[in-house]
Amino acid sequence: MDAVTISTPSSATVSNHMSTARVMGAYLAEVRSECLRYMRSPGFMLPIMLFPSMFYLLFGIVMAKSEGADAARYLLASYGVFGVMSPGLFGFGVSLALERDGGLLTYKRALPMPPGAYLLGKMVMAMLAAAVVILLLLAMGIGMAHVTLSAAQAGLLLLTGVLGVLPFCALGMLVGTLIKGQGAPGMLNLVYLPMSFLSGLWIPMGMLPKVLQQIAPIWPSYHLHQVALAAVGMDHTGLLAHMGVLLGFAALFFVVAARRLRRYG
């Protein structure tokens, strides 16, 4: 009888699998920790969810009722972008600045964890918060403003919010490396609120002065607004260009912020 050869994985293969599992476990643990941390912080999560919802209720449902469904549809995209910017800017910027000042960032770097886990945890938290904001606005727009959206349009708006938060995560990360913890909220508000206004999120771009319309493309929120409008079926011109600009903004902010973070390693 021929001998049966049983192949067993080498010790190197087993070690590699175990190493990969540990790395993935570290990433997942950091994501879980970051998400739980902010879910237990109503002072952070409630404003993120309530401000865009209240603005949409007032301006997109109550005051825009006489303007027809297109006004409610337009403002659904506008306040969706306004709501998505917040978890990216403040979730990254404020917490990073505070943790850098308190020495937590240095402590985390000393832990046996992948260096990208810290940033990934904050990124996933921001994406989940953005998804909650968009879902809440969609429920209000469809249920209260009677905005007619197909399932594909609603899904595209949700995807726009989840991915569109990333350039603002990178911008918040950059601000968090520049400003001390106590000054980060004020500085980020000086970025967040004017950028929202100048991008046509509060007032339609056509109603802004000509000079403000001409400089609007320098703001990432303007390009995300155009993508959001396309998602709800209002404008499809230059969609790929707007997406490319957003990708460029995200890459630029991230690279500059990552270089600054290395100084605190």
Side-chain angles (χ1 to χ4, degrees):
M1 182 180 295
D2 294 335
V4 178
T5 303
I6 301 177
S7 61
T8 59
S10 65
S11 59
T13 302
V14 173
S15 177
N16 288 336
H17 285 313
M18 292 178 64
S19 177
T20 301
R22 291 194 189 100
V23 171
M24 292 302 298
Y27 278 109
L28 292 175
E30 187 67 20
V31 169
R32 180 178 179 274
S33 173
E34 196 70 23
C35 292
L36 287 175
R37 173 186 174 189
Y38 283 99
M39 287 175 63
R40 294 169 179 171
S41 302
F44 174 77
M45 291 302 298
L46 287 179
I48 284 178
M49 293 186 292
L50 291 180
F51 278 130
S53 302
M54 289 190 300
F55 286 146
Y56 186 61
L57 176 64
L58 179 61
F59 298 108
I61 297 176
V62 176
M63 297 183 65
K65 188 174 293 185
S66 60
E67 301 295 330
D70 281 346
R73 182 189 296 264
Y74 180 92
L75 291 173
L76 174 61
S78 297
Y79 287 118
V81 174
F82 176 69
V84 159
M85 293 167 62
S86 182
L89 289 173
F90 292 94
F92 252 91
V94 176
S95 63
L96 178 59
L98 290 171
E99 289 164 6
R100 179 168 59 84
D101 284 356
L104 181 60
L105 187 58
T106 303
Y107 171 73
K108 280 183 173 287
R109 285 178 176 271
L111 295 175
M113 60 183 288
Y118 172 77
L119 298 179
L120 179 65
K122 291 187 179 299
M123 186 186 305
V124 172
M125 178 280 301
M127 294 172 76
L128 291 175
V132 171
V133 169
I134 295 296
L135 289 172
L136 185 56
L137 290 175
L138 279 171
M140 294 176 65
I142 295 172
M144 301 174 67
H146 307 293
V147 176
T148 302
L149 292 176
S150 67
Q153 289 173 330
L156 285 174
L157 184 61
L158 178 61
L159 182 63
T160 297
V162 170
L163 297 180
V165 74
L166 297 180
F168 302 99
C169 288
L171 178 56
M173 178 180 167
L174 176 59
V175 174
T177 65
L178 295 169
I179 306 297
K180 289 189 176 294
Q182 291 183 344
M187 179 57 67
L188 284 166
N189 273 310
L190 289 177
V191 174
Y192 178 43
L193 300 179
M195 188 189 296
S196 300
F197 173 76
L198 295 171
S199 302
L201 303 185
W202 295 349
I203 300 175
M205 187 59 63
M207 298 176 63
L208 292 176
K210 193 69 175 179
V211 63
L212 296 183
Q213 295 181 37
Q214 292 173 343
I215 67 171
I218 70 174
W219 313 115
S221 46
Y222 166 81
H223 297 280
L224 185 59
H225 188 206
Q226 302 310 305
V227 176
L229 289 174
V232 298
M234 296 203 71
D235 187 9
H236 295 84
T237 57
L239 180 59
L240 290 179
H242 292 303
M243 295 171 66
V245 172
L246 285 170
L247 183 60
F249 272 120
L252 175 63
F253 294 147
F254 179 79
V255 168
V256 176
R259 287 180 177 176
R260 288 191 57 81
L261 276 178
R262 291 193 187 101
R263 301 180 184 181
Y264 307 106

